[in-house]
Amino acid sequence: MNILRMAWKNLWRTKRRTLITVASICFGVVLATLMRSLQDGTYSNMIKMSVQLASGYIQLQHPLYQQQKSINHSIAPTASELSRIAAINGVQTVSKRLSSFALFSSGSTTKGGSVIGIEPDKDAETSNIQHWVAEGRFLNKGDRSVLLTQHTAQNLHLGVHDTLVLISQGYHGVSAAAAYPIKGIVQFATPKLNHLGVFMDLGLAQEFFDTGEQVSAVMITVDDYNTVPNTVAAITAATDGAYNVLDWKTINPDIVQFIESDQSGGMVMIAVLYIVIGFGIFGTIIMMVAERKRELGVLIAIGMQKVRLYVLLFCETILIGVIGVIAGFSISVPIVVFLKKNPVQLPPELATTYAKYGFEPYFFFGTTPTVFLYQVLVVFGMTALIAIYPLWKVKTLEVTTALRS
Amino acid sequence: MNVLEIQHLVKEYTDADTPVRAIDGISLTVAAGEFTAIVGPSGSGKTSLLNMIGGLDTPTSGTIHVQQQNITQLTAAQRIDFRRNHIGFVFQSYNLIPVLTAIENVALILQLQGVSKKERQQRAVELLTAVGLQDRIHSRPANLSGGQQQRVAVARALASRPTFVLADEPTANLDSKATENLLQIMQQLNKEEGTTFIFSTHDQRVINKARRIITVEDGKIHTDEQVVPDSATTLAPMV
């Protein structure tokens, strides 16, 4: 009789207990996966919202721009450089941006804010600002009108077709002043972004700030934010180190800080879940060994070496873990995939609270492979650790005592 | 030829800080083909003696030689190998492996010995046939009566062709009919195959079948008698 077959048979001698243990591991894996998926989805969405809109996952900048965000630290990447970047595996889009600050004026009201020159024809694949246009229409390439974020428009008491006056300092101290008609009002889900300021066509921004062909940064989006480090290295190599290639973490340290603190909280929750799963398995193993003490004694008495018994018991414990993990994995994959495609909309009260903190009113779920892999590995590792207990019990087993039990 | 030689065997242990001498200087020999009963009241030391003969326990002093090999000098792992190859056990509570069928229970020990699958299947069927269970070879212990389980245990004990079979109260949980049946099988194996049986018991039916009766009291051999089986007639006192 094969040891593995014997272990399998032993598992099913107390079907109900094995099934309960498998179920507890299974639901533990499902819950842990859902929690991790929710975290992953939330972070992914947060990064997508904030990073993709404002900075891109990766930026090409002038070496001094990150320290001093001045229009004077602009770059003029060549078409061939941009093509080489676009050809890198994982790079989704490459677009140019020119950003600076200006005073916005309307009547007697003046307010400071950002002026962001974008490429409207690439917007759908990059920042997707057009999705957030609440009034009016989105920009076209070559437009000489602008988009205004909602709070800026409200503060200036401006609407679509009104005129916005901009005053700023252009490239190397050039005086920049102009008046532009408002083509649309943008309302983002993240309230903080609604204070941003003005979006205009890149060409118009270059004209306003008198930068010529120069831009503040080249924004690069990728298929998967987990691939950013590799893509950064590839871009640095493709541009011969001529630019500062920064990832979203460096550009947005506040988001990183938030994710890290939130992740710590999430890890505590998952650790509690793992402890519950762990004790569930441990309880079963304790019972399994205790009620078979005599049988173990008999096996040693008739000539089974303890090492062989270790293997048998280890196989039994691992089999429980494997069945539970596979079941949990099989159940969690379709659930998570479904939830990723259909984010859960929050009830109105919760949605308001979320909006206050700048989040979209949805529970987003992620399907990064590590979301599944970590749960499988952790639960399996935990089972392997618990498998030490029966080994220790067999090691210290007195045959004569076991036979009397 | 002696298969077992015990010299000045002593087993002491401590029970609630009180030293207890379970075996107190026992010496005896058992020849091949004997059908020996070790009898005595509860706590007399017969199970302790059987445990040490079987290498399940180690003595405080003294020696046990099985076919000239001093088993008291073996390590725990060596004793396990020794048991597998030299001793067959029959326990009071049968102690079959519940998830294995009768044939698998018998073949298990052969598998541990590294015997080929074909050979162990053949041997297991032979033994189960010998104990009258040829039609129950694929039954699990839960589906067998107490008597049938004990017959499987006897078959298992004989599977490795041991030097001798140790049976600790083998009939304690059996009814009269099952006891009679089991004893008949053991006697038959003893006569026809020359298997040496050593059993502890206080079942008079078993004692009546023994050809040698060793009485143990307070850890010492009180009497050691050769008897005519089924009549319990004393042949010659040995001690």
Side-chain angles (χ1 to χ4, degrees):
Chain A
M1 154 114 357
N2 180 301
I3 288 262
L4 200 62
R5 206 173 132 216
M6 193 164 165
W8 178 258
K9 281 187 170 188
N10 279 332
L11 276 192
W12 301 107
R13 72 206 316 196
T14 44
K15 258 185 209 159
R16 189 179 296 176
R17 198 182 55 213
T18 301
L19 285 175
I20 289 171
T21 312
V22 165
S24 73
I25 297 171
C26 167
F27 286 112
V29 170
V30 172
L31 283 177
T33 306
L34 282 177
M35 279 183 72
R36 285 287 302 135
S37 171
L38 180 61
Q39 275 190 325
D40 185 59
T42 307
Y43 302 152
S44 177
N45 189 61
M46 192 189 307
I47 293 163
K48 192 176 166 191
M49 273 296 296
S50 306
V51 174
Q52 197 166 332
L53 189 71
S55 65
Y57 289 96
I58 300 168
Q59 273 196 12
L60 234 66
Q61 294 180 354
H62 186 280
L64 297 175
Y65 188 78
Q66 183 64 6
Q67 283 77 39
Q68 195 183 354
K69 290 189 173 54
S70 162
I71 194 129
N72 296 333
H73 298 143
S74 301
I75 55 173
T78 62
S80 87
E81 281 174 333
L82 295 178
S83 311
R84 284 207 299 274
I85 293 168
I88 290 169
N89 193 25
V91 170
Q92 206 172 34
T93 61
V94 178
S95 63
K96 293 180 279 186
R97 278 211 170 175
L98 180 63
S99 304
S100 191
F101 300 93
L103 284 175
F104 311 137
S105 186
S106 168
S108 57
T109 313
T110 304
K111 188 179 167 12
S114 299
V115 175
I116 304 166
I118 60 170
E119 294 181 277
D121 51 329
K122 290 184 179 173
D123 175 72
E125 295 85 40
T126 53
S127 304
N128 201 20
I129 296 164
Q130 56 196 283
H131 174 74
W132 305 102
V133 174
E135 289 176 56
R137 284 181 297 119
F138 185 63
L139 301 172
N140 293 316
K141 189 174 170 67
D143 265 356
R144 298 194 63 79
S145 49
V146 299
L147 296 178
L148 209 51
T149 56
Q150 190 201 30
H151 288 300
T152 313
Q154 280 173 353
N155 288 339
L156 295 170
H157 310 293
L158 289 172
V160 178
H161 306 307
D162 289 341
T163 300
L164 175 72
V165 176
L166 282 85
I167 304 162
S168 185
Q169 183 179 290
Y171 190 62
H172 285 296
V174 169
S175 175
Y180 299 114
I182 297 166
K183 190 171 182 181
I185 306 292
V186 184
Q187 185 183 358
F188 294 110
T190 309
K192 195 179 158 190
L193 295 175
N194 288 325
H195 293 278
L196 208 58
V198 168
F199 292 96
M200 61 173 70
D201 177 59
L202 179 67
L204 187 63
Q206 284 171 331
E207 180 191 308
F208 177 68
F209 290 112
D210 200 18
T211 60
E213 287 299 308
Q214 295 191 99
V215 293
S216 312
V218 174
M219 276 176 61
I220 296 148
T221 60
V222 290
D223 299 332
D224 175 6
Y225 75 88
N226 293 299
T227 63
V228 166
N230 290 339
T231 315
V232 166
I235 292 171
T236 308
T239 54
D240 300 323
Y243 306 103
N244 221 6
V245 184
L246 303 174
D247 63 8
W248 62 272
K249 289 181 181 175
T250 314
I251 304 163
N252 305 281
D254 50 333
I255 295 177
V256 177
Q257 202 176 10
F258 174 82
I259 288 175
E260 278 172 0
S261 65
D262 192 66
Q263 240 169 357
S264 313
M267 288 312 287
V268 170
M269 291 292 290
I270 290 176
V272 170
L273 201 61
Y274 286 149
I275 289 168
V276 172
I277 300 169
F279 276 102
I281 307 170
F282 192 41
T284 304
I285 301 305
I286 287 175
M287 285 296 294
M288 191 173 87
V289 174
E291 72 183 19
R292 285 167 57 197
K293 191 174 174 184
R294 181 196 286 210
E295 184 187 317
L296 300 177
V298 169
L299 285 168
I300 296 170
I302 65 171
M304 186 181 268
Q305 282 292 356
K306 286 187 173 181
V307 174
R308 210 157 173 155
L309 259 188
Y310 297 156
V311 176
L312 175 70
L313 294 172
F314 189 77
C315 285
E316 288 178 26
T317 315
I318 293 297
L319 274 175
I320 290 185
V322 167
I323 298 168
V325 162
I326 289 174
F329 180 75
S330 310
I331 293 172
S332 56
V333 167
I335 295 176
V336 167
V337 168
F338 174 81
L339 289 171
K340 188 183 179 178
K341 286 184 179 169
N342 305 280
V344 179
Q345 188 162 16
L346 298 176
E349 317 84 61
L350 204 56
T352 314
T353 313
Y354 260 59
K356 270 186 196 169
Y357 289 95
F359 297 112
E360 282 187 86
Y362 290 94
F363 280 140
F364 292 100
F365 290 82
T367 50
T368 309
T370 51
V371 164
F372 303 99
L373 192 66
Y374 281 157
Q375 318 324 311
V376 168
L377 288 179
V378 168
V379 175
F380 190 76
M382 216 159 51
T383 312
L385 195 68
I386 289 167
I388 294 170
Y389 173 78
L391 306 191
W392 172 69
K393 289 303 280 186
V394 169
K395 188 177 165 56
T396 56
L397 188 78
E398 288 283 340
V399 181
T400 50
T401 314
L403 289 173
R404 276 202 304 272
S405 65
Chain B
M1 187 188 80
N2 288 335
V3 290
L4 174 68
E5 289 177 16
I6 298 173
Q7 294 290 321
H8 314 298
L9 198 70
V10 172
K11 177 66 181 178
E12 284 176 340
Y13 61 88
T14 308
D15 185 15
D17 295 334
T18 311
V20 176
R21 187 168 270 223
I23 300 293
D24 191 3
I26 285 180
S27 296
L28 66 89
T29 57
V30 174
E34 278 194 17
F35 200 67
T36 303
I38 297 171
V39 300
S42 291
S44 58
K46 53 188 191 300
T47 299
S48 298
L49 180 60
L50 239 57
N51 283 344
M52 282 185 284
I53 293 172
L56 297 174
D57 204 357
T58 50
T60 309
S61 65
T63 59
I64 302 167
H65 284 84
V66 176
Q67 287 188 319
Q68 274 76 53
Q69 183 176 12
N70 185 358
I71 65 166
T72 56
Q73 288 180 337
L74 300 178
T75 63
Q78 285 170 333
R79 282 206 309 275
I80 293 176
D81 286 339
F82 167 80
R83 286 199 296 269
R84 184 170 62 238
N85 297 321
H86 292 279
I87 298 175
F89 286 96
V90 178
F91 302 98
Q92 183 180 331
S93 310
Y94 331 130
N95 287 338
L96 299 176
I97 307 303
V99 292
L100 304 184
T101 61
I103 192 169
E104 287 170 341
N105 262 288
V106 177
L108 176 64
I109 201 157
L110 296 169
Q111 188 185 359
L112 296 175
Q113 284 183 317
V115 175
S116 71
K117 189 177 179 182
K118 190 183 169 192
E119 205 178 322
R120 61 180 189 251
Q121 293 280 343
Q122 199 177 347
R123 171 90 177 137
V125 171
E126 260 172 37
L127 286 165
L128 287 168
T129 306
V131 297
L133 291 173
Q134 61 276 13
D135 53 346
R136 304 306 301 271
I137 59 172
H138 296 300
S139 299
R140 285 201 182 183
N143 300 323
L144 296 172
S145 68
Q148 288 172 328
Q149 286 188 56
Q150 198 60 304
R151 280 190 273 157
V152 175
V154 169
R156 178 179 68 183
L158 294 168
S160 63
R161 301 181 203 277
T163 308
F164 51 77
V165 174
L166 291 175
D168 187 12
E169 306 272 6
T171 58
N173 292 335
L174 303 181
D175 59 26
S176 307
K177 197 178 165 194
T179 299
E180 185 60 36
N181 198 331
L182 183 75
L183 286 171
Q184 220 171 19
I185 289 165
M186 285 164 65
Q187 271 189 315
Q188 201 176 339
L189 289 164
N190 173 248
K191 279 179 189 167
E192 292 175 7
E193 311 261 335
T195 311
T196 308
F197 280 91
I198 303 168
F199 38 84
S200 73
T201 186
H202 22 50
D203 185 338
Q204 195 56 48
R205 295 165 300 185
V206 182
I207 297 168
N208 289 343
K209 301 281 183 187
R211 293 207 305 273
R212 181 182 175 191
I213 301 167
I214 299 168
T215 311
V216 177
E217 278 184 28
D218 298 327
K220 294 177 179 173
I221 292 180
H222 185 62
T223 60
D224 186 347
E225 303 164 312
Q226 296 285 354
V227 295
V228 175
D230 297 319
S231 62
T233 308
T234 303
L235 289 177
M238 289 182 70
V239 177

